[in-house]
Amino acid sequence: MPVFSILDLAPIPEGGTAADALANSVALAQSAERAGYTRYWLAEHHNMPGIASAATSLVISHVAAATKTIRVGAGGIMLPNHAPLVIAEQFGTLATLYPNRIDLGLGRAPGTDQATARALRRHMAVEDSFPADVQELIGYLGDAPPKTADGASVQAIPGIGTNVPVWILGSSLYGAQLAAYFGLPYAFASHFAPALLGEALATYRATFRPSRHLTKPYAMLAAGVCAAETDSEAQYLRSSQILAFARLRSGTPGKLPRPVADISAEVPPAVLAQVQHALSCSATGSPETIRAQLSQILATHAPDEVMITGMIHDPAARIRSFDIAAMVLKSL
């Protein structure tokens, strides 16, 4: 049986509020814990009317407080938006409040548009400091505080000694190479950028260097899942995510739309083709259908873990979809 987990973007549904989205995330996490999921990750996005997880560490704490055993974490924190020390303090605090349950996935993208990235960072640096920032952050969470250039010690309190597991996230070969070099677990964002999935996993596995974090590579892939009792119902429910992604690609992001009967009537053919390709690492349909589709994904890429995601407008249907997916994954 593969290890399986959930990625949640805390979608704000049309007709609903951010408060509804956060309540829906708690309900889904509680259901996921009962269903046997290993992790429940939330993602950092900004200036998006349909996503309620911008203050990611706060939402992680909210979900962790409402659950008991499932690991809760970031998939991910967009590290260029933050000082490493601040993230170390935040996740050190989370690890202190919820011992042995917190994960920290790190991404290199801004998770937003350039104007919002400038508002977040205040001063945009030309050079790529991501590798050094990752090392600095891991140092703050380790047993010995790192030293500054002038020899002074800086401690994350809480943070030091928590050794929060750090993951590298990516959708290109860059993250694969970095995760392999540092000997860290690696998660590929194939749920929206599948093009380089095979090459990235091969690169990560071939160039992995054992470390104090891992003795051998550990790779996770992300896949979209929309499951229901029938294929037609699942296709109908999935239209919300397709429409939301199409609007994002067209520069008009909004709340998660209600499902539509005919997605081709809502999205121009060229845009629809792009969206369907971007979301192609996915399984949609009845339990039998998604079993065949997920089996093919797992057989092709042999991940150590699969993280599934799915934006469904109706919260009850979303919980049901993840319950069906858990049942199917347990049977593989």
Side-chain angles (χ1 to χ4, degrees):
M1 183 181 74
V3 178
F4 54 94
S5 300
I6 288 179
L7 173 65
D8 179 19
L9 302 185
I12 304 173
E14 280 185 355
T17 65
D20 295 325
L22 296 174
N24 293 340
S25 289
V26 165
L28 178 59
Q30 292 170 334
S31 176
E33 187 169 71
R34 293 190 295 269
Y37 285 91
T38 298
R39 309 173 205 281
Y40 193 95
W41 282 6
L42 294 128
E44 177 187 348
H45 292 283
H46 301 278
N47 195 33
M48 292 192 181
I51 295 178
S53 54
T56 315
S57 58
L58 293 180
V59 184
I60 288 170
S61 185
H62 182 58
V63 170
T67 52
K68 296 179 180 178
T69 58
I70 195 169
R71 296 190 68 87
V72 189
I77 291 294
M78 301 298 104
L79 191 54
N81 297 338
H82 310 280
L85 177 60
V86 172
I87 298 303
E89 291 171 340
Q90 291 177 3
F91 278 78
T93 300
L94 288 168
T96 302
L97 292 171
Y98 313 104
N100 302 312
R101 292 184 58 203
I102 301 300
D103 297 324
L104 174 53
L106 300 175
R108 179 170 167 251
T112 186
D113 57 90
Q114 284 301 307
T116 308
R118 284 191 292 271
L120 285 164
R121 303 183 201 181
R122 308 299 292 172
H123 302 289
M124 301 285 283
V126 176
E127 70 279 2
D128 179 13
S129 62
F130 184 66
D133 288 347
V134 171
Q135 287 183 298
E136 182 182 347
L137 175 51
I138 291 174
Y140 289 132
L141 297 172
D143 295 324
K147 294 186 180 297
T148 63
D150 59 3
S153 292
V154 177
Q155 297 187 48
I157 303 172
I160 185 171
T162 56
N163 291 291
V164 176
V166 171
W167 293 64
I168 299 296
L169 315 183
S171 58
S172 68
L173 301 185
Y174 180 96
Q177 294 166 338
L178 190 68
Y181 184 80
F182 286 153
L184 295 172
Y186 177 56
F188 191 87
S190 34
H191 61 297
F192 72 88
L196 294 175
L197 171 60
E199 190 176 354
L201 293 184
T203 298
Y204 171 65
R205 289 163 174 157
T207 61
F208 181 86
R209 306 193 318 171
S211 70
R212 66 180 179 87
H213 310 287
L214 281 179
T215 58
K216 61 181 181 179
Y218 191 94
M220 175 197 289
L221 69 76
V225 172
C226 186
E229 306 308 323
T230 65
D231 288 352
S232 58
E233 182 186 359
Q235 294 287 353
Y236 174 69
L237 293 173
R238 189 171 185 255
S239 65
S240 292
Q241 181 162 0
I242 294 174
L243 188 53
F245 203 82
R247 289 175 178 174
L248 176 63
R249 283 288 179 96
S250 302
T252 56
K255 293 184 176 182
L256 182 64
R258 293 179 174 86
V260 295
D262 183 7
I263 191 68
S264 63
E266 305 285 338
V267 181
V271 176
L272 184 58
Q274 293 175 357
V275 170
Q276 288 174 332
H277 173 71
L279 303 181
S280 61
C281 186
S282 62
T284 302
S286 66
E288 295 77 15
T289 299
I290 70 162
R291 188 181 195 282
Q293 295 171 343
L294 288 173
S295 294
Q296 182 61 50
I297 292 171
L298 296 177
T300 300
H301 300 290
D304 299 289
E305 185 168 342
V306 59
M307 178 164 276
I308 64 173
T309 187
M311 296 175 67
I312 297 173
H313 185 273
D314 175 38
R318 185 168 76 139
I319 288 175
R320 178 57 181 155
S321 176
F322 282 106
D323 281 346
I324 292 172
M327 177 188 67
V328 168
L329 286 163
K330 287 176 183 177
S331 74
L332 294 179

